[in-house]
Amino acid sequence: MLTQKKSLSRDIGSIAILTGPILVTQYAQIANGVVDTIMCGRLGAEALGAVGLGVAVWVPMQAFLIGILYGLLVELAQLCGAGKTGDITSTTQQACWLGLLLAGGMGLAVYFAGARLGVFGLPEELLPLVAEYLGGLAWAFPFCGLFYSLRFYCEGQGAPKIVTVIALGAVASNIALNSVLMFGALGFPALGIRGCGLATGLCWVLSLLAAMAYVSLARRFAGNRLFARLHAPSLAAIVRLFRTGLPIGVAFLSEYLVMACIALMIARQGTVAVASHQITYNLSLVLFTLPVALSIAISILVGQARGAQDAERERRVVGAGLLLSSGVGLALTAALLALSQWLPSLYTDDPGVLALTRALLTIAAFFQLADSIQVGLSGALRGIHDTTVPLILSSLCYWGVGIPLGYALSGEASALFGEMPQMGVMGWWVGLIAAITLAAMLLGVRVRRSFWKAV
């Protein structure tokens, strides 16, 4: 019994040590968006709206790219666990080719999307500004793809701290570059919103250069330098990495699409409902970053155990990870409930928005618990390359349960089916909680069968 407690404490410590730097990295990425929003606000309301629309175009594409390259992280974790360090450089270089190819196509899509957003009925005065912003960053998408390949190269081998340092440096660089390019500091011409896009692109370039310098010079990689020998693209290896990461990328993209769909439906309920939903979603997204970082750490350690063919350690890591995920979920739920009356005042002083947001947060608090557990379970399954079935289960829950239930409870279905509940925006959040809870239950069954079936 004492030995089991020591093992559990050790595994919890290992997960926590990995989670810390990854969490700071995730928050640094969020900070870049906050910086852009604040600094663009100085250019006026139109510029701020244009950046918001532009972000809605490129961020989902980036999330899809990150999800696909996530397969590299799991692949490297398993290679490390198996002691096959000789395969790490060739696998990572194939991921770089994949990232370059995908990100190049996405960059072209982002560039041309800016000129074609008018088909969605967007305000005419914003379209040129959106095109300027997207044109300013589209060219740098290939650098973004290469950077995330190197990020997962480091994190997959248990070296997340350098990624954190680079991410924090990117925030500082973004502030400086925005000042220079947007407002014309140091003698540079003021490029306005295009300068904001250029600053984002240049931050990706600088992050890539810093990562390349580290993996080329760091002592921990001295015995197996990533760029000591260049491997030609291998179609079989690229396809294998793509097939591993595709379900993860689709899952990341699906979450954006679900929330976009709900936001569009809520928009029909008026300004107060939209504002309250946006505040609640923003706060939930900030809190959600902690379970996501925890999930990445679980994936890495489970992958290492699978590579070492240590089934007992796999089960210990999964158990410790789920214990941590549950604890984090409970803590976030309690925090949101305790602060639900105060947090909305950070965003607005409108009485109607404040009242509705406070009510929403008391519901959304329980979303944190279910989502934290669900994300932890997903991380465990990704560590053993089990990605397709979890994607199907989660998609069925979101699209088959969450959207229809939210539609019914919000009152939108009354026109079709007669008298229905009239919960408004709160109905959509109840639908989300039901969907994520069901997803957690189904993934829990999947985890039990995957890791404890033999036992």
Side-chain angles (χ1 to χ4, degrees):
M1 188 68 177
L2 185 60
T3 303
Q4 290 179 343
K5 287 183 178 180
K6 286 183 177 179
S7 297
L8 180 62
S9 299
R10 184 169 59 250
D11 292 324
I12 288 176
S14 298
I15 296 172
I17 289 170
L18 264 180
T19 300
I22 295 172
L23 177 63
V24 176
T25 299
Q26 298 290 103
Y27 275 124
Q29 291 173 347
I30 293 175
N32 276 320
V34 174
V35 165
D36 284 348
T37 301
I38 292 173
M39 299 186 76
C40 277
R42 294 168 57 189
L43 296 175
E46 288 187 354
L48 191 58
V51 168
L53 291 173
V55 166
V57 172
W58 72 261
V59 167
M61 290 191 183
Q62 186 192 49
F64 181 65
L65 174 66
I66 292 171
I68 290 177
L69 294 176
Y70 195 110
L72 172 65
L73 180 143
V74 176
E75 188 84 13
L76 295 186
Q78 292 194 6
L79 289 174
C80 286
K84 298 179 179 179
T85 55
D87 295 335
I88 289 176
T89 56
S90 60
T91 301
T92 304
Q93 287 192 21
Q94 297 308 316
C96 288
W97 290 116
L98 174 61
L100 191 62
L101 178 65
L102 287 175
M106 289 178 181
L108 289 174
V110 166
Y111 179 80
F112 288 109
R116 289 164 175 77
L117 291 176
V119 298
F120 296 102
L122 299 178
E124 290 291 333
E125 65 272 14
L126 293 184
L127 294 179
L129 294 175
V130 176
E132 280 189 44
Y133 172 67
L134 293 178
L137 63 82
W139 62 275
F141 250 82
F143 298 96
C144 178
L146 289 172
F147 168 69
Y148 276 102
S149 298
L150 296 191
R151 170 186 169 173
F152 292 141
Y153 169 78
C154 295
E155 290 181 346
Q157 297 181 78
K161 292 181 181 178
I162 182 59
V163 180
T164 302
V165 173
I166 293 172
L168 292 173
V171 176
S173 300
N174 194 30
I175 295 172
L177 289 169
N178 275 342
S179 299
V180 170
L181 298 175
M182 288 172 62
F183 306 112
L186 302 178
F188 282 81
L191 300 177
I193 196 169
R194 179 179 290 276
C196 182
L198 283 170
T200 299
L202 287 171
C203 283
W204 290 340
V205 174
L206 293 175
S207 297
L208 173 62
L209 292 175
M212 290 178 66
Y214 178 79
V215 301
S216 299
L217 300 174
R219 184 178 301 175
R220 69 174 299 150
F221 299 130
N224 201 16
R225 291 295 185 202
L226 179 59
F227 299 112
R229 174 190 166 203
L230 186 62
H231 295 266
S234 167
L235 182 60
I238 291 173
V239 168
R240 177 172 52 81
L241 286 168
F242 180 77
R243 289 179 62 184
T244 299
L246 180 61
I248 305 174
V250 173
F252 287 0
L253 184 60
S254 179
E255 292 176 6
Y256 276 97
L257 294 177
V258 166
M259 297 309 298
C261 178
I262 291 175
L264 289 173
M265 297 300 293
I266 290 174
R268 298 161 58 177
Q269 299 177 12
T271 303
V272 171
V274 171
S276 298
H277 169 73
Q278 185 57 37
I279 293 171
T280 304
Y281 176 60
N282 182 262
L283 286 170
S284 297
L285 195 61
V286 170
L287 296 178
F288 179 62
T289 304
L290 177 52
V292 168
L294 190 59
S295 172
I296 295 173
I298 294 170
S299 293
I300 293 170
L301 294 177
V302 169
Q304 290 176 355
R306 175 54 60 101
Q309 298 183 350
D310 189 343
E312 180 59 32
R313 182 163 181 253
E314 278 184 26
R315 288 190 285 270
R316 291 203 319 268
V317 171
V318 172
L322 294 182
L323 189 63
L324 277 172
S325 296
S326 302
V328 165
L330 285 170
L332 295 179
T333 297
L336 207 52
L337 286 172
L339 300 174
S340 61
Q341 299 301 305
W342 172 74
L343 287 173
S345 61
L346 296 176
Y347 291 81
T348 182
D349 56 4
D350 184 281
V353 175
L354 283 173
L356 182 54
T357 304
R358 286 165 179 161
L360 271 181
L361 287 177
T362 60
I363 296 175
F366 296 97
F367 180 85
Q368 302 299 322
L369 175 59
D371 210 18
S372 183
I373 295 172
Q374 180 265 149
V375 169
L377 292 165
S378 296
L381 292 171
R382 287 169 186 162
I384 59 171
H385 282 179
D386 187 359
T387 55
T388 302
V389 172
L391 167 64
I392 294 171
L393 294 176
S394 298
S395 297
L396 287 174
C397 292
Y398 279 124
W399 296 100
V401 175
I403 296 293
L405 183 59
Y407 185 76
L409 294 177
S410 68
E412 294 284 346
S414 297
L416 297 176
F417 303 107
E419 191 62 29
M420 297 288 289
Q422 301 286 330
M423 296 179 65
V425 64
M426 287 189 285
W428 285 107
W429 278 90
V430 172
L432 277 174
I433 293 170
I436 208 70
T437 301
L438 180 59
M441 293 169 63
L442 293 175
L443 291 175
V445 173
R446 182 77 178 174
V447 164
R448 187 177 185 280
R449 289 179 177 176
S450 299
F451 294 98
W452 279 274
K453 184 178 179 181
V455 178

Tab-separated table of all heavy atoms in Angstrom, residues 20 35 45 58 92 123 143 167 182 187 193 195 214 247 255 264 285 317 331 339 351 387 394 450 454:
chain	number	residue	atom	x	y	z
A	20	GLY	N	3.536	22.347	-15.891
A	20	GLY	CA	3.856	23.732	-15.571
A	20	GLY	C	4.344	24.545	-16.760
A	20	GLY	O	3.707	25.549	-17.136
A	35	VAL	N	-2.816	41.055	-26.520
A	35	VAL	CA	-1.970	42.183	-26.893
A	35	VAL	C	-2.465	42.807	-28.197
A	35	VAL	O	-2.611	44.039	-28.315
A	35	VAL	CB	-0.503	41.734	-27.034
A	35	VAL	CG1	0.326	42.794	-27.773
A	35	VAL	CG2	0.100	41.468	-25.669
A	45	ALA	N	-12.532	51.499	-33.680
A	45	ALA	CA	-13.473	50.383	-33.592
A	45	ALA	C	-13.444	49.520	-34.846
A	45	ALA	O	-13.578	48.290	-34.773
A	45	ALA	CB	-14.891	50.918	-33.353
A	58	TRP	N	-8.080	32.777	-39.324
A	58	TRP	CA	-6.814	32.047	-39.295
A	58	TRP	C	-6.602	31.181	-38.059
A	58	TRP	O	-5.907	30.160	-38.131
A	58	TRP	CB	-5.626	32.986	-39.504
A	58	TRP	CG	-5.262	33.917	-38.397
A	58	TRP	CD1	-5.588	35.227	-38.288
A	58	TRP	CD2	-4.440	33.646	-37.240
A	58	TRP	NE1	-5.059	35.787	-37.145
A	58	TRP	CE2	-4.342	34.829	-36.484
A	58	TRP	CE3	-3.787	32.505	-36.768
A	58	TRP	CZ2	-3.626	34.913	-35.297
A	58	TRP	CZ3	-3.070	32.591	-35.582
A	58	TRP	CH2	-2.989	33.769	-34.869
A	92	THR	N	10.992	13.548	-37.042
A	92	THR	CA	10.730	14.979	-36.879
A	92	THR	C	10.868	15.716	-38.198
A	92	THR	O	10.072	16.613	-38.515
A	92	THR	CB	11.685	15.586	-35.840
A	92	THR	OG1	11.557	14.875	-34.610
A	92	THR	CG2	11.382	17.055	-35.620
A	123	PRO	N	-19.898	43.680	-42.987
A	123	PRO	CA	-19.934	45.114	-43.306
A	123	PRO	C	-18.867	45.488	-44.337
A	123	PRO	O	-17.694	45.119	-44.189
A	123	PRO	CB	-19.643	45.773	-41.946
A	123	PRO	CG	-20.092	44.766	-40.934
A	123	PRO	CD	-19.795	43.430	-41.537
A	143	PHE	N	6.298	29.179	-41.724
A	143	PHE	CA	7.184	29.277	-40.562
A	143	PHE	C	6.470	28.789	-39.302
A	143	PHE	O	7.079	28.178	-38.424
A	143	PHE	CB	7.657	30.721	-40.378
A	143	PHE	CG	8.463	31.248	-41.531
A	143	PHE	CD1	7.864	31.997	-42.525
A	143	PHE	CD2	9.819	30.975	-41.628
A	143	PHE	CE1	8.603	32.481	-43.599
A	143	PHE	CE2	10.579	31.452	-42.690
A	143	PHE	CZ	9.957	32.209	-43.682
A	167	ALA	N	7.975	31.133	-26.127
A	167	ALA	CA	6.616	31.688	-26.155
A	167	ALA	C	6.550	33.025	-25.425
A	167	ALA	O	5.895	33.969	-25.886
A	167	ALA	CB	5.633	30.689	-25.536
A	182	MET	N	2.730	48.981	-36.439
A	182	MET	CA	1.378	49.545	-36.455
A	182	MET	C	1.390	51.065	-36.334
A	182	MET	O	0.654	51.762	-37.037
A	182	MET	CB	0.554	48.949	-35.309
A	182	MET	CG	0.153	47.503	-35.503
A	182	MET	SD	-0.625	46.798	-34.015
A	182	MET	CE	-2.071	47.852	-33.860
A	187	GLY	N	11.136	55.374	-36.624
A	187	GLY	CA	11.287	55.840	-37.998
A	187	GLY	C	10.602	54.991	-39.042
A	187	GLY	O	10.643	55.313	-40.234
A	193	ILE	N	-3.317	48.356	-39.452
A	193	ILE	CA	-3.742	46.984	-39.210
A	193	ILE	C	-2.887	45.968	-39.967
A	193	ILE	O	-2.704	44.842	-39.527
A	193	ILE	CB	-5.240	46.828	-39.565
A	193	ILE	CG1	-5.789	45.539	-38.946
A	193	ILE	CG2	-5.456	46.860	-41.069
A	193	ILE	CD1	-7.292	45.435	-39.026
A	195	GLY	N	0.259	46.233	-40.248
A	195	GLY	CA	1.409	46.075	-39.365
A	195	GLY	C	1.149	45.066	-38.268
A	195	GLY	O	2.064	44.341	-37.843
A	214	TYR	N	18.167	26.487	-30.618
A	214	TYR	CA	18.225	25.659	-29.419
A	214	TYR	C	18.501	24.194	-29.752
A	214	TYR	O	19.404	23.573	-29.171
A	214	TYR	CB	16.923	25.775	-28.625
A	214	TYR	CG	16.917	24.905	-27.387
A	214	TYR	CD1	17.586	25.309	-26.239
A	214	TYR	CD2	16.278	23.664	-27.383
A	214	TYR	CE1	17.602	24.510	-25.101
A	214	TYR	CE2	16.292	22.861	-26.257
A	214	TYR	CZ	16.958	23.287	-25.118
A	214	TYR	OH	16.984	22.481	-24.005
A	247	PRO	N	-7.300	13.019	-37.016
A	247	PRO	CA	-8.452	13.053	-36.102
A	247	PRO	C	-8.313	14.104	-35.001
A	247	PRO	O	-9.305	14.693	-34.575
A	247	PRO	CB	-8.468	11.632	-35.505
A	247	PRO	CG	-7.753	10.788	-36.497
A	247	PRO	CD	-6.681	11.677	-37.060
A	255	GLU	N	-14.372	21.724	-32.403
A	255	GLU	CA	-14.729	22.512	-31.219
A	255	GLU	C	-14.952	23.978	-31.580
A	255	GLU	O	-15.879	24.623	-31.076
A	255	GLU	CB	-13.640	22.375	-30.164
A	255	GLU	CG	-13.557	20.973	-29.565
A	255	GLU	CD	-12.408	20.820	-28.590
A	255	GLU	OE1	-11.752	21.847	-28.299
A	255	GLU	OE2	-12.157	19.702	-28.128
A	264	LEU	N	-23.595	31.985	-33.464
A	264	LEU	CA	-24.489	32.496	-34.502
A	264	LEU	C	-25.948	32.370	-34.095
A	264	LEU	O	-26.761	33.271	-34.345
A	264	LEU	CB	-24.241	31.749	-35.818
A	264	LEU	CG	-22.929	32.065	-36.537
A	264	LEU	CD1	-22.738	31.136	-37.728
A	264	LEU	CD2	-22.907	33.522	-37.001
A	285	LEU	N	-12.650	29.763	-21.612
A	285	LEU	CA	-11.486	29.463	-22.434
A	285	LEU	C	-10.193	29.692	-21.656
A	285	LEU	O	-9.243	28.903	-21.757
A	285	LEU	CB	-11.509	30.336	-23.686
A	285	LEU	CG	-10.590	29.936	-24.839
A	285	LEU	CD1	-10.951	28.552	-25.356
A	285	LEU	CD2	-10.677	30.960	-25.957
A	317	VAL	N	0.125	6.123	-14.805
A	317	VAL	CA	0.100	7.486	-15.333
A	317	VAL	C	-1.332	7.915	-15.645
A	317	VAL	O	-1.740	9.038	-15.327
A	317	VAL	CB	0.987	7.601	-16.595
A	317	VAL	CG1	0.781	8.954	-17.268
A	317	VAL	CG2	2.457	7.414	-16.238
A	331	ALA	N	-11.650	22.194	-8.747
A	331	ALA	CA	-11.124	23.489	-8.302
A	331	ALA	C	-11.630	24.622	-9.195
A	331	ALA	O	-12.018	25.693	-8.704
A	331	ALA	CB	-9.600	23.455	-8.298
A	339	LEU	N	-16.600	33.161	-7.757
A	339	LEU	CA	-16.288	34.468	-8.349
A	339	LEU	C	-17.306	34.912	-9.394
A	339	LEU	O	-17.094	35.929	-10.061
A	339	LEU	CB	-14.892	34.430	-8.984
A	339	LEU	CG	-13.721	34.107	-8.039
A	339	LEU	CD1	-12.424	33.955	-8.825
A	339	LEU	CD2	-13.579	35.185	-6.979
A	351	PRO	N	-26.060	46.706	-16.729
A	351	PRO	CA	-26.811	45.906	-15.751
A	351	PRO	C	-27.415	44.627	-16.329
A	351	PRO	O	-27.375	43.578	-15.682
A	351	PRO	CB	-27.915	46.871	-15.290
A	351	PRO	CG	-27.400	48.238	-15.605
A	351	PRO	CD	-26.571	48.080	-16.828
A	387	THR	N	-7.018	7.862	-31.655
A	387	THR	CA	-7.539	9.196	-31.944
A	387	THR	C	-8.844	9.183	-32.741
A	387	THR	O	-9.657	10.097	-32.601
A	387	THR	CB	-6.499	10.015	-32.733
A	387	THR	OG1	-6.114	9.282	-33.922
A	387	THR	CG2	-5.248	10.257	-31.898
A	394	SER	N	-16.776	12.085	-29.527
A	394	SER	CA	-16.933	13.492	-29.153
A	394	SER	C	-17.817	14.239	-30.150
A	394	SER	O	-18.663	15.052	-29.756
A	394	SER	CB	-15.564	14.171	-29.058
A	394	SER	OG	-14.769	13.569	-28.066
A	450	SER	N	-9.082	0.255	-22.889
A	450	SER	CA	-7.760	0.350	-23.507
A	450	SER	C	-6.627	0.056	-22.544
A	450	SER	O	-5.602	-0.495	-22.939
A	450	SER	CB	-7.569	1.770	-24.112
A	450	SER	OG	-8.528	2.027	-25.098
A	454	ALA	N	-6.943	-5.983	-19.949
A	454	ALA	CA	-6.182	-7.206	-19.627
A	454	ALA	C	-6.304	-7.553	-18.162
A	454	ALA	O	-6.353	-8.724	-17.770
A	454	ALA	CB	-4.720	-7.027	-20.014
